[in-house]
Amino acid sequence: MTLNRRTFLGAAAAAASLSAPMVRAMGKPRVVVVGGGAGGATAARYIAKDSKGAIDVTLIEPTRKYYTCFFSNLYLGGFKNIEDIGHTYGGLAAGGVNVVHDWAVGVDRDAKTVSLAGGATLPYDKLILSPGIDFVEGAVEGWDLSAQNAMPHAYKAGSQSELLKAQLMAMPEGGVFAMVAPPNPFRCPPGPYERVSMVAHFLKQNNPTAKIIVADPKPKFSKMALFQEGWANHYEGMVDWIGDDFGGGNVSVDPNAMTVTIDGEETKVDVCNVIPAMKAGRIAELAGVTDGNWAPVNAADMSTKADGDVYVLGDASAQGDMPKSGFSANSQAKVCANAVRGALTGSKVFPAKFSNTCWSLIAPDDGVKVGATYEATADKIAKVDGFISQTGETADVRKTTYMESEGWYSGITADMLG
Amino acid sequence: MVRVTQILGAALVAGLATLGGAAFAQGGNVDAGAKVFKKCKGCHQVGKGAEHRIGPHLNGLFGRKAATYEEFNYSKGFQRIGGGGLVWHAESLDAFLENPRAMVSRTRMSFPGLKKAEDRANLIAYLRQFSDNPADIPEADPTAQGVDHDLDPAILALKGDPEYGQYLSGECTTCHQSAGGDDGIPSIVLWPEEDFVLAMHAYKSKHRIHPVMQMIAGRLGDEEIAALAAYFATLEE
Ligand SMILES: Cc1cc2nc3c(=O)[nH]c(=O)nc-3n(C[C@H](O)[C@H](O)[C@H](O)COP(=O)(O)OP(=O)(O)OC[C@H]3O[C@@H](n4cnc5c(N)ncnc54)[C@H](O)[C@@H]3O)c2cc1C
């Protein structure tokens, strides 16, 4: 009886593979996802969920708990605890994803295998990389990864966020908090400025004579009018933003002396948050799918220009108009999941549709947002339509916007991790 | 005496320019409006000494933001729409009265709406008397528009493809939890399909206020909205 049933299933699988040429003879098609963040977790979850067991999905992620960068600024400001932004992978495992806690250290695109730090080699039919970002070496003079304890980036959440918070809390009365902001493109365009707002909020409560200096290599930034209005309203005189026009891009740091030199002028600081220039997470480069700092992808399905069986999602991809955000990575992951499933099982593939909204908190109950919709064109993901919060909005509107961001956080974490 | 408020010449043109719709204005008849108001009386009071009952009192309605009486226990839907910036004017009242559910999902106002533009115009003219400057009628707040906010029955009759809806729902579930959570962002699972379709089309036509939803709905076609409604209506919690 059992034998008959097996034989029957085998025949069915062989028949199915006629319409799905990617399927390896008899075996289930295999998808390996590298990186369990906003892009990777969502892709793994959706492929497993929607293929109902027809595809083998393995997720490679070194950390056992994913701390979201989103809302990590609210943690700095005292609106969240660190545990509020940490999430385990139990939900994904329960949803049928094979979660492997290890690092991917190499990709052999000819053999179609991924090698792990622990020694294993995993074969794939489709490989999805969503490794987030790494920092460009030598981007900020005087800083490298060995200095990240003295001058944290806190641009990958978790221990770095906790470190920055501890340093913020230990600042002497009337001390100086410096930030070196990154050049474009970088993850979360409003992120550094939401952070300035949250640090200012914390200082206003606990250390009101302290100052914040921002050295920025850009002449302008995301939601600039909204942030500057908010800083003037809530934190008057506390924030000194030095843009490129005033030498903000000409910066070096000395992590031993705790000094920052902006356009030739050296300042002794108490905390220095260095957010260097970014590039795709290193595994994308090791896989040979990057061109310069990022991995160019096809807008219709997020497959790389270099290899149709390798996909790159989220921050690591060069896709066109979408900002590097958790929302974008999640949106791209669903388009990719649909396409990968279609390619492997012959399920229906619907046209790509993308969207993004980024909320930022400026002060208690003072939330703002910016968002847009996007479509796939032949050469990129192109913006269709967008909106942004307005300066001078009423307190009610701002509060509703903040409440919405709380709802969004619950929504996206559930959508990623089950 | 029958008082007929008539919208005239220049005021009409100036007023309509700010409404954004090609509304056709007619006068509203206050006395006829008083008769229409009988349908509302079970829950709402208006005029001297009016108090909150099942619904809030309706004095000073024009120019007031929705859901602003702190002492009144509004539904979540109403609180959100007030926070989103809905202000009561003839135009918004007209849209709301035609189909309350289209504008405010899950309102506790269990009233199917006034399908006849004339009834709405009359009711609005009647209510306008109890706002601060009734003498301004019609200049301050055009009292009546014959705008059609109701959906084409053919759109409501569309049968959505749930499989397509499932794919499209990915755009919703980044914010709206598929398990139905409701904190800051409303739950959209297990809604009657018609409510879903009405709400989405009201965003598309910008009668419902919310920049994200207007943007998302704005590029969804009739079939796509039907597909989403079909999918979410049957989603298991
Ligand atoms: C301060 C801050 C605030 C932000 N706020 C918002 C916000 O409000 N809204 C928003 O939408 N976005 C926000 N973002 C941006 C958002 O966090 C990122 O855009 C998003 O996380 C990108 O998703 P991803 O999948 O590309 O990368 P990530 O989410 O970073 O995931 C990458 C994962 O890959 C793993 N990984 C890396 N290399 C390997 C390897 N070799 N092998 C195995 N695993 C690997 C990492 O451990 C990590 O878990 C914010 C970012 C910051 C820094």
Side-chain angles (χ1 to χ4, degrees), chain A residues 34-40 60-63 66 69-73 89 102-105 130-133 154-156 187-188 191 194-195 283 313-316 324-329 356-359 408:
Chain A
V34 175
I60 315 296
E61 165 61 53
T63 63
Y66 177 72
C69 285
F70 24 111
F71 276 20
S72 66
N73 288 328
Y89 289 95
D102 204 343
W103 286 94
V105 291
S130 193
I133 52 115
Y155 234 63
K156 296 184 182 188
R187 70 167 22 164
C188 195
E194 181 187 57
R195 177 169 296 171
I283 190 71
L313 305 178
D315 292 355
K324 296 184 188 301
S325 74
F327 200 125
S328 296
N356 176 62
T357 297
C358 284
W359 284 266
W408 163 77

Side-chain angles (χ1 to χ4, degrees), chain B residues 25-224:
Chain B
Q26 323 154 321
N29 180 314
V30 171
D31 289 349
K35 287 205 187 85
V36 179
F37 186 70
K38 285 187 182 147
K39 295 188 179 171
C40 320
K41 265 186 172 162
C43 302
H44 293 281
Q45 296 189 344
V46 72
K48 205 165 168 239
E51 288 177 1
H52 299 320
R53 298 286 298 276
I54 295 169
H57 74 71
L58 300 174
N59 291 345
L61 187 61
F62 283 71
R64 187 167 66 74
K65 197 155 66 64
T68 37
Y69 291 122
E70 274 180 17
E71 67 280 12
F72 187 79
N73 179 21
Y74 292 96
S75 64
K76 267 197 177 166
F78 247 115
Q79 285 170 19
R80 236 174 241 125
I81 219 131
L86 178 75
V87 176
W88 292 124
H89 293 291
E91 163 81 3
S92 49
L93 277 170
D94 189 47
F96 178 68
L97 288 170
E98 180 165 14
N99 192 339
R101 281 178 309 153
M103 196 123 115
V104 186
S105 305
R106 312 236 149 151
T107 168
R108 282 198 287 270
M109 182 159 130
S110 56
F111 179 68
L114 294 168
K115 295 303 162 209
K116 279 163 68 184
E118 198 188 335
D119 286 349
R120 300 194 299 273
N122 293 339
L123 179 61
I124 289 166
Y126 171 73
L127 291 173
R128 184 65 180 84
Q129 302 179 99
F130 306 101
S131 280
D132 284 349
N133 296 302
D136 288 348
I137 294 176
E139 290 78 2
D141 232 336
T143 50
Q145 338 284 319
V147 192
D148 192 4
H149 304 291
D150 225 8
L151 266 187
D152 182 346
I155 292 180
L156 278 179
L158 279 177
K159 271 259 70 34
D161 168 7
E163 193 192 348
Y164 189 27
Q166 176 174 9
Y167 168 68
L168 292 169
S169 74
E171 199 167 18
C172 315
T173 53
T174 306
C175 300
H176 300 275
Q177 297 171 49
S178 55
D182 185 5
D183 46 356
I185 288 188
S187 163
I188 54 171
V189 302
L190 300 176
W191 279 33
E193 284 181 55
E194 190 175 312
D195 283 22
F196 195 101
V197 171
L198 282 171
M200 291 300 278
H201 280 279
Y203 282 123
K204 199 172 154 79
S205 62
K206 302 205 191 307
H207 280 111
R208 270 177 97 128
I209 296 174
H210 194 274
V212 180
M213 288 309 302
Q214 288 181 352
M215 178 182 80
I216 297 288
R219 67 163 175 172
L220 291 173
D222 298 347
E223 301 275 354
E224 291 174 319

